[in-house]
Amino acid sequence: MAKKQYAFYPGCSSQKGASASNFVTSIGTMCDKLDIQLNEIPDWNCCGASIGYGEGGELPRLAISARNLALSEKHLPGQDMVSGCPAAGWPRVRQWIA
């Protein structure tokens, strides 16, 4: 049986040395056990959650989150997108454009 594949948005807090980097390690272990393959979205950017705390406004957050969705569709077409970032802002974008 083929592995189920997902477009993966790791998020800023999941980067090596960041606050949730151990969480990504756990996700990888879990996916190995469940025969799931996570395909990191090429050239992803911050989702904009930190802009929200700095009162940057909704439009910039939506725009940079939408970029991640567009990259996912371009490079990993047909794959559902998952994230290891607890603050990821892209679900708001998906609701907004749906």
Side-chain angles (χ1 to χ4, degrees):
M1 180 180 206
K3 285 186 173 192
K4 176 66 177 162
Q5 295 191 40
Y6 293 92
F8 182 56
Y9 172 77
C12 300
S13 63
S14 303
Q15 297 306 288
K16 187 174 184 173
S19 60
S21 60
N22 59 338
F23 187 53
V24 170
T25 301
S26 297
I27 290 171
T29 301
M30 177 195 69
C31 288
D32 287 343
K33 298 286 183 192
L34 296 174
D35 209 26
I36 294 172
Q37 180 175 328
L38 298 180
N39 302 310
E40 188 170 322
I41 299 167
D43 196 32
W44 61 267
N45 55 263
C46 174
C47 70
S50 59
I51 292 173
Y53 301 123
E55 299 183 23
E58 185 175 23
L59 183 58
R61 288 193 316 266
L62 291 172
I64 62 177
S65 292
R67 180 180 181 273
N68 289 321
L69 290 171
L71 288 170
S72 176
E73 287 295 322
K74 178 181 178 182
H75 296 288
L76 304 165
Q79 292 184 18
D80 290 331
M81 188 167 151
V82 298
S83 176
C85 182
W90 58 266
R92 290 188 300 269
V93 175
R94 183 155 273 172
Q95 293 169 355
W96 182 70
I97 60 176

